[in-house]
Amino acid sequence: MGPGYLRPIDADRVIGEDGGMVARYDAVADVYGAGEDHYEGAAVAALLALVGPAPGPRALDVACGHGLVARELARRGAAVTGIDVSERLLDKARATVGPSIEYVLGDATDDEVLAGCEFELVTSNFGLSDIDDLDGLCHTVARVLVPGGRFVFSILHPCFGGGGDVSSSWPSGGTYRDEGWWRADGERSTLRQEVGANHRTLSTYVNTLISHGLVVERLVEPAPEPEWAATRPKAAAQPVYLVVACRRAPIA
């Protein structure tokens, strides 16, 4: 644990005042309003480009939140399941008019969740850094993917060093090699101030994928949105987003 890191009870859930478990994103669910879906963000656009127009007959969206990616996968013809630990975000997803999707309240690292389910595609848009147990998540992805199935995800680039009032992937006073969960302190890093994030090195991500038979096929490092970059030039000069496409290795 490097300087600035916290040791949470759980990275994506906290103990509520009544002693029960409350998802961290429950506290910020209201910022995800109902309305028309937009996919102009650089990372989500790159993720959907890697998915392509034919996501397959069955797709799972991990840490689906209010259902943005899940709805687009359904529009592209997939039967979609979305899973998240935040009941309030799932309420937002279910209240949004759009294609029919099965939403599951649950922890994607739990072996009991999605038991017996199979998918040709698994996606996660900025979800992996919110999940404390990366190994458990990759185990689940490999378990539910059919051989040859794809896993496509986006994250804040592990090498992003921040700049000015934008927090880096790792906390102030730490280094790239220090891994752990923390809350951002940059003035413009508002969401990560609220919910925190896990920082992991690029090698940790890749080696964990490999250990579960998830073969990396393509990496994309999309440039940040022009309006974002214009007000954060120092931060925008660095790698900001990472989008990865993997395929589950065939069973030998």
Side-chain angles (χ1 to χ4, degrees), residues 16-248:
E17 293 181 358
D18 62 356
M21 297 303 291
V22 179
R24 295 187 186 280
Y25 272 77
D26 285 349
V28 297
D30 287 343
V31 306
Y32 297 91
E36 185 177 351
D37 289 337
H38 295 282
Y39 299 93
E40 292 82 8
V44 69
L47 181 151
L48 291 170
L50 288 180
V51 166
R58 299 165 297 183
L60 170 69
D61 190 31
V62 172
C64 65
H66 67 304
L68 181 72
V69 170
R71 286 189 291 276
E72 181 57 24
L73 297 178
R75 293 185 191 107
R76 296 185 184 194
V80 180
T81 299
I83 184 169
D84 205 289
V85 296
S86 170
E87 188 164 15
R88 291 198 64 205
L89 280 177
L90 291 181
D91 286 343
K92 293 274 187 179
R94 295 184 180 109
T96 302
V97 176
S100 178
I101 298 165
E102 180 184 4
Y103 289 109
V104 176
L105 177 66
D107 180 350
T109 69
D110 184 347
D111 277 342
E112 298 299 318
V113 172
L114 304 172
C117 295
E118 288 188 332
F119 302 93
E120 285 73 29
L121 173 72
V122 176
T123 59
S124 186
N125 186 42
F126 287 110
L128 271 64
S129 61
D130 294 314
I131 296 173
D132 193 37
D133 183 4
L134 179 65
D135 186 74
L137 184 277
C138 289
H139 171 76
T140 295
V141 171
R143 172 172 58 85
V144 302
L145 271 178
V146 300
R150 297 179 296 154
F151 178 34
V152 185
F153 65 88
S154 64
I155 53 174
L156 177 69
H157 203 299
C159 301
F160 178 59
D165 51 6
V166 181
S167 290
S168 66
S169 180
W170 56 92
S172 306
T175 74
Y176 167 73
R177 292 177 178 82
D178 296 320
E179 298 186 313
W181 181 87
W182 68 294
R183 292 185 188 276
D185 52 13
E187 183 179 344
R188 289 180 179 264
S189 301
T190 52
L191 180 62
R192 289 190 294 146
Q193 286 182 33
E194 292 288 333
V195 300
N198 283 286
H199 169 63
R200 305 177 177 103
T201 63
L202 181 59
S203 59
T204 291
Y205 277 109
V206 173
N207 290 332
T208 305
L209 292 165
I210 291 171
S211 71
H212 290 281
L214 299 168
V215 180
V216 176
E217 292 191 325
R218 190 170 180 83
L219 303 176
V220 178
E221 299 171 291
E225 300 80 359
E227 61 275 15
W228 188 94
T231 57
R232 304 162 177 84
K234 183 176 180 180
Q238 305 169 61
V240 180
Y241 307 126
L242 179 64
V243 186
V244 181
C246 309
R247 193 174 295 273
R248 182 189 166 190

